[in-house]
Amino acid sequence: MPELPEVETIVRGLQTPLLGRTITAAKVLWHNTARPSVVEVEAKLPQRRIEALSRRGKYLKFVLSGGKMLFIHLKMSGDLRVLPQSQAVHPHTRAFFNLDNGNRLEFKDPRKFGRIHLTDNPQSVIGTLGPEPLADDFSVDDFIALFERRSGRLKPLLMNQTFIAGLGNIYAAEACFWARLDPRRPANTLSAADLARLYHAIRRVLRHGIMLKGATLDNVYRGGEFQNHFQVYGKTGKPCPRCGTPIARVMLAGRSTFFCPACQSAASTASI
DNA sequence: CTAAAATCCTGGTGGC
DNA sequence: TGCCACCAGGATTTTA
């Protein structure tokens, strides 16, 4: 469940230990973790220097010497840590890269959904992603324009990475709560005022998540403290923090969706 | 076009 | 206590 704030937190934490380091050896321990292939990654990574590290959507992006880029997607349960090479490799480690200072970058991923992509064409990995919701130049008008000629329900659309990048099940639900929007609403029924509220809610909840270094969940993902600030996610039956109505849970596009059936309704927002 | 289902996976949980 | 069926979760691919 690393979403944008969790990935951003990891990227920030890795800057100091990784920037300028050279990879001396690469090992992939699970066949499906590496793209285009285990052999390619193990052969082409060594001797490259990490020149830049950033985030795009939920991907980590490593710019390497020699014109290659490495993208890592943590999916459900992935995590990255820098440890001394003297430490034993953890059983859930799916890949690791030794560094020229005696440390090791370890990619742990119990559920094996995560992927690492080595490429010289970034567009092949991140070319279809929608806009960055926190970009300085991403305006409320840009956001409203995304909804032109889009159908489908609101929350699944927000989680569609080609629509907008970085939102997952948690932050999409929390943003709908703050914007007082029913996550089941057909996207083409939202007014400009609804969308403006949603734009600000998305940016606020993502920034809040980053400030708290993301969320920790289920022993599956090691994050910060944002899980203590959820308003609706995982709160089925608990009183809505705004109006006291029990929080409801429905399935939308196969995902648990939490919301307040009273104050996140078209009727309740008509008068805002 | 949209949308739902299948796929990839394992650790944790609930039922018995 | 142990066994097992079940499920969550993101993104892609397949099917309807």
Side-chain angles (χ1 to χ4, degrees), chain A residues 182-199:
Chain A
D182 188 325
R184 302 168 297 179
R185 278 273 290 278
N188 57 13
T189 66
L190 298 171
S191 69
D194 289 333
L195 293 176
R197 284 202 314 283
L198 183 56
Y199 167 85

Side-chain angles (χ1 to χ4, degrees), chain A residues 128-144:
Chain A
T128 60
L129 289 181
E132 277 294 319
L134 291 181
D136 290 339
D137 60 356
F138 182 62
S139 69
V140 64
D141 289 338
D142 294 334
F143 182 69
I144 291 171

Side-chain angles (χ1 to χ4, degrees), chain A residues 12-172:
Chain A
R12 290 180 184 184
L14 290 176
Q15 298 284 351
T16 300
L18 292 186
L19 280 186
R21 297 264 68 89
T22 295
I23 295 166
T24 57
K27 185 71 186 162
V28 180
L29 303 166
W30 177 250
H31 65 94
N32 217 7
T33 293
R35 298 289 149 86
S37 70
V38 171
V39 168
E40 178 88 1
V41 168
E42 291 186 345
K44 302 273 177 70
L45 267 182
Q47 309 319 317
R48 292 184 194 272
R49 207 171 74 100
I50 300 169
E51 297 181 335
L53 172 58
S54 60
R55 178 191 60 73
R56 173 76 173 98
K58 302 178 195 173
Y59 287 87
L60 293 98
K61 173 185 170 185
F62 298 74
V63 177
L64 305 172
S65 56
K68 290 276 186 189
M69 290 183 187
L70 183 74
F71 293 92
I72 300 183
H73 198 303
L74 303 169
K75 290 284 181 90
M76 295 291 306
S77 60
D79 196 7
L80 290 164
R81 312 190 77 154
V82 176
L83 306 161
Q85 284 171 30
S86 55
Q87 199 152 325
V89 173
H90 189 278
H92 290 156
T93 299
R94 309 306 177 194
F96 64 85
F97 312 139
N98 287 338
L99 306 173
D100 59 355
N101 63 351
N103 283 340
R104 182 173 66 219
L105 175 64
E106 195 171 274
F107 178 45
K108 280 202 303 186
D109 185 23
R111 295 186 185 172
K112 299 180 175 174
F113 276 21
R115 298 286 180 267
I116 66 182
H117 304 255
L118 182 64
T119 181
D120 36 35
N121 174 19
Q123 290 303 105
S124 68
V125 181
I126 58 170
T128 60
L129 289 181
E132 277 294 319
L134 291 181
D136 290 339
D137 60 356
F138 182 62
S139 69
V140 64
D141 289 338
D142 294 334
F143 182 69
I144 291 171
L146 294 180
F147 284 81
E148 286 173 17
R149 295 181 302 279
R150 294 305 291 246
S151 57
R153 306 219 211 201
L154 176 58
K155 205 197 73 164
L157 190 58
L158 293 178
M159 291 173 64
N160 179 345
Q161 302 302 298
T162 69
F163 180 76
I164 190 167
L167 291 168
N169 207 27
I170 294 171
Y171 291 89

